[in-house]
Amino acid sequence: MNTTPSNAAEANSTAAFFRLVNSPLKFSLFVLKKLPAAYLAGLRITNADEARAVVTVPFKWFTQNPFRSTYFACLSMAAEMSTGLLAMANIYGRKPGVSMLVVDMKAQFHKKAMDITSFTCNDGLLIKEAVNRAIITKEAQTITVYSEGKNREGELIAAFWFTWSFKAK
């Protein structure tokens, strides 16, 4: 099944989305308006393109738990954002529109997060295929994608699996 963009408009809307998220000022304003908890937690995009997204969460007063590490919910928020950016990029400006929703999540925690943690999702092309299948088949499509969080030393802090559902409107 061919799941490449059907026209240049789709490719242009994806490119426009990445121009938005890769602009620190524009993205900060978007997050402040739509995701204020992510803004207050200090989540930042360090890299985003069609295939991959990297989101960081700092260890600071707002993100810490009583055990002097990053609260699991803040880690979860950064992991979800690394997958969600790729999902949003693929539905941004689509005609017909496509809805997206997290329908399941699994996490494994390996080490205390006591510094900045970077979450990387490399499943952008798989997400693109699922979105295109949803449009072509007119049926909801689900996909499970992976994001892993590492500290500055490259040690695995946490691993997350998010199952996204996409449905053409």
Side-chain angles (χ1 to χ4, degrees):
M1 173 183 305
N2 183 4
T3 59
T4 58
S6 60
N7 61 46
E10 291 171 14
N12 287 340
S13 63
T14 302
F17 179 82
F18 284 117
R19 279 192 303 276
L20 170 71
V21 300
N22 285 312
S23 166
L25 177 62
K26 289 179 183 177
F27 182 71
S28 290
L29 293 173
F30 169 79
V31 172
L32 179 60
K33 181 178 179 183
K34 299 291 186 181
L35 300 165
Y39 180 84
L40 293 171
L43 270 57
R44 300 286 181 262
I45 298 170
T46 58
N47 184 313
D49 60 37
E50 185 177 3
R52 177 175 180 253
V54 181
V55 176
T56 61
V57 59
F59 172 69
K60 62 181 188 175
W61 176 83
F62 191 81
T63 62
Q64 71 180 321
N65 62 30
F67 310 106
R68 294 191 203 109
S69 62
T70 305
Y71 183 47
F72 85 94
C74 294
L75 295 172
S76 301
M77 187 169 27
E80 188 271 342
M81 185 179 281
S82 72
T83 66
L85 284 170
L86 298 170
M88 287 178 63
N90 283 287
I91 69 167
Y92 185 78
R94 287 286 189 132
K95 304 286 187 238
V98 177
S99 63
M100 60 185 250
L101 180 67
V102 172
V103 295
D104 193 27
M105 182 199 80
K106 178 183 174 192
Q108 293 178 343
F109 300 92
H110 299 275
K111 187 175 177 80
K112 284 177 79 168
M114 299 185 298
D115 195 0
I116 193 166
T117 304
S118 296
F119 283 91
T120 303
C121 178
N122 293 307
D123 293 335
L125 299 178
L126 296 174
I127 292 169
K128 180 179 183 176
E129 290 174 8
V131 169
N132 285 329
R133 271 194 315 273
I135 292 169
I136 291 166
T137 66
K138 309 275 191 261
E139 295 178 6
Q141 300 292 314
T142 61
I143 182 170
T144 300
V145 295
Y146 176 74
S147 180
E148 66 180 14
K150 294 184 176 182
N151 63 16
R152 290 181 200 235
E153 290 76 38
E155 299 168 310
L156 184 63
I157 299 297
F160 286 82
W161 294 263
F162 290 92
T163 302
W164 286 94
S165 174
F166 300 99
K167 185 173 181 181
K169 295 179 183 178

